[in-house]
Amino acid sequence: MGFGIAVLGYIGLLYFGATIVPGVGLSGYLIGLVPWSLFDWAHAPGYGMLAVLLTRGLQRRAWPLAYALPVAAAAALVFGLWTEVFQGSVQGRQLSVDDLVMDAVGIGFATTMMLSETVRNRIASTYYAQQNHNGVKRQA
């Protein structure tokens, strides 16, 4: 239950970021101090992390990675699309296809990293199992 609350909190943080209007209120003032080019790139790690959290959450519920990864990636992308549409309805903000593309880049990168970790672990376990098997043969 605690992990689910953390994921929901992170989703809320992403949602809150989409509602901030530069120059309006304290958060708008603070966000105005950061260069806009940085915000374009911030979508990639933000939504990549969302994909990782959703994947790990599904795996904690006994989903195999082969199912958890595409479902989590799709859910993160749908959330990114929904957030962009919502952001377009906030006065002073606009919908941006570039932001959605950066969301997809981050999700794709995170997915690739999780897959590469799995492949690396399988290769290593196969290698060490083979080494142990060869060691047993020599002693016999």
Side-chain angles (χ1 to χ4, degrees):
M1 177 90 139
F3 189 78
I5 291 174
V7 172
L8 287 176
Y10 187 74
I11 286 172
L13 183 65
L14 291 174
Y15 179 76
F16 174 71
T19 63
I20 297 173
V21 178
V24 177
L26 177 61
S27 58
Y29 170 75
L30 294 174
I31 209 167
L33 299 175
V34 179
W36 276 107
S37 60
L38 181 64
F39 285 110
D40 291 338
W41 288 101
H43 280 257
Y47 282 84
M49 180 58 71
L50 178 60
V52 169
L53 289 172
L54 291 172
T55 300
R56 297 301 184 219
L58 291 173
Q59 286 183 305
R60 288 173 61 100
R61 294 187 167 270
W63 284 46
L65 185 66
Y67 297 124
L69 202 54
V71 168
L77 189 59
V78 167
F79 179 74
L81 175 63
W82 180 81
T83 303
E84 283 301 317
V85 169
F86 175 75
Q87 184 174 310
S89 70
V90 174
Q91 188 174 1
R93 297 296 302 260
Q94 61 189 16
L95 186 136
S96 171
V97 174
D98 293 342
D99 288 349
L100 189 59
V101 168
M102 289 308 296
D103 296 350
V105 166
I107 293 165
F109 184 74
T111 301
T112 302
M113 294 302 293
M114 286 186 282
L115 280 174
S116 67
E117 176 187 6
T118 301
V119 170
R120 186 191 74 228
N121 289 342
R122 286 188 182 169
I123 290 170
S125 65
T126 302
Y127 172 77
Y128 288 120
Q130 185 65 33
Q131 292 292 69
N132 288 338
H133 180 70
N134 289 339
V136 170
K137 277 186 171 179
R138 287 187 202 130
Q139 293 175 356

